[in-house]
Amino acid sequence: MASATKTRTTATRLLAAAAVLSGLVLGAAPAHATTTAPATTTATLPVVDMEAVVLAAQIDPRRADNTLTPGAHDSVLAVEQALEARHLLDSRWVDGYFGTTTITAYAAFQRSLGYSGLDANGLPGATSLAALGQGRFTVTHTIGPGAKLQRDGYTIDTRTQNMLTAAEGLLGFHLTLSQGSYNPGGDPTSAGTHDGGGVVDINIDTMSTTTRTDVARALREVGFAAWIRNPTQGNWPWHIHAAAISDTDLSTPAQNQTGDYYLGFNGLANHGADDGPRIPIQTWEQYQRTH
């Protein structure tokens, strides 16, 4: 009996020693020892900045070269890659430059969604951009014209109204319209700029030269491409022509005007130099972020 007890005791001691030795070996394992890898997660989709894309879509087609719109390259590239995947844009145009070929491709995509008219103007809208990005990218800094409303007997959109109100706050007086938006064919002298949203004419008949300049400057400060027009330039009375930069309802001629404004031109067919007050150019959204 004593011999059996001694044998069991010896075995117990050996097992305990083995356990201690095992712990020491595991504790001394190198830092690079293999561990279980965490489960693989789905890659984060790239982000498309809608403000940057819409701005590039106005400026890039008006450039004489392939200079990129600052801050827009990556977002435009993602949009172009999505258009290429849908066989709407050839790979040679997938370069981060939102030129006329990309405008045409985007308009084709809009039409494929059943859109027409202003909704298929090649300028990305929030709904079409989200549809294009499904499974490919997410959209940030979304913008839109908002609902239509009446001002001074003319139709404009909510974004334009808010911009005019902000300009009036800077000036300290009310601005009266002499022409509104969404007026296709209403004024042949406007060359189609008022056919879509975001474009208005301001009545300046009773204003002094200084006040007219102040109004143009205030409109530019809140995000309009704005110029003082006079009868020597065309068949029209004195007025201020203002196009809301990045209004996604802009007609094609109005898109061209906002692009020209960024490039230092007067927005007229003669492609003359900008004759308005020069200030740092910004959109309505950029203005809001600093005021």
Side-chain angles (χ1 to χ4, degrees):
M1 180 66 69
S3 176
T5 300
K6 181 178 180 182
T7 301
R8 286 196 295 270
T9 301
T10 301
T12 299
R13 289 173 178 172
L14 289 173
L15 288 173
V20 171
L21 180 60
S22 175
L24 291 173
V25 171
L26 290 174
H32 61 270
T34 302
T35 57
T36 302
T40 302
T41 57
T42 303
T44 303
L45 294 175
V47 175
V48 164
D49 184 330
M50 183 178 176
E51 286 184 33
V53 168
V54 171
L55 189 61
Q58 295 162 90
I59 303 172
D60 291 355
R62 307 300 291 173
R63 295 186 188 277
D65 56 23
N66 291 335
T67 300
L68 300 177
T69 295
H73 174 270
D74 291 352
S75 293
V76 171
L77 190 65
V79 169
E80 290 177 326
Q81 289 169 339
L83 291 171
E84 180 191 18
R86 292 176 179 269
H87 307 292
L88 296 171
L89 186 65
D90 189 88
S91 60
R92 61 182 169 147
W93 304 114
V94 180
D95 54 7
Y97 179 83
F98 211 117
T100 55
T101 304
T102 304
I103 288 283
T104 300
Y106 199 93
F109 172 67
Q110 290 170 320
R111 291 194 298 272
S112 76
L113 297 176
Y115 298 152
S116 60
L118 291 174
D119 293 327
N121 61 3
L123 200 61
T127 303
S128 63
L129 196 57
L132 181 65
Q134 287 183 357
R136 299 192 65 91
F137 58 76
T138 59
V139 181
T140 188
H141 293 147
T142 55
I143 54 177
K148 296 178 184 178
L149 52 83
Q150 293 293 302
R151 177 185 170 114
D152 300 330
Y154 298 100
T155 301
I156 61 173
D157 60 48
T158 301
R159 183 175 182 269
T160 303
Q161 168 70 356
N162 292 339
M163 293 170 67
L164 290 169
T165 300
E168 290 171 332
L170 295 175
L171 293 164
F173 57 82
H174 177 75
L175 298 174
T176 301
L177 302 187
S178 57
Q179 189 175 178
S181 308
Y182 303 104
N183 186 30
D187 184 355
T189 67
S190 295
T193 56
H194 290 264
D195 289 4
V199 180
V200 295
D201 287 346
I202 309 294
N203 188 320
I204 58 172
D205 287 344
T206 61
M207 296 181 188
S208 67
T209 299
T210 299
T211 302
R212 291 170 178 173
T213 301
D214 289 342
V215 171
R217 181 180 293 105
L219 291 168
R220 289 184 171 201
E221 186 171 345
V222 302
F224 285 100
W227 299 274
I228 301 170
R229 301 299 195 213
N230 66 70
T232 67
Q233 297 172 317
N235 184 25
W236 50 60
W238 281 91
H239 67 281
I240 291 179
H241 178 77
I245 301 166
S246 293
D247 188 306
T248 54
D249 272 356
L250 290 172
S251 66
T252 297
Q255 293 175 41
N256 294 341
Q257 280 191 327
T258 55
D260 285 351
Y261 172 58
Y262 268 87
L263 299 176
F265 299 109
N266 62 5
L268 292 172
N270 64 17
H271 219 53
D274 183 10
D275 55 5
R278 302 309 299 269
I279 66 170
I281 301 176
Q282 61 184 348
T283 65
W284 168 235
E285 288 72 29
Q286 290 170 329
Y287 174 81
Q288 287 181 292
R289 284 194 283 271
T290 57
H291 290 79

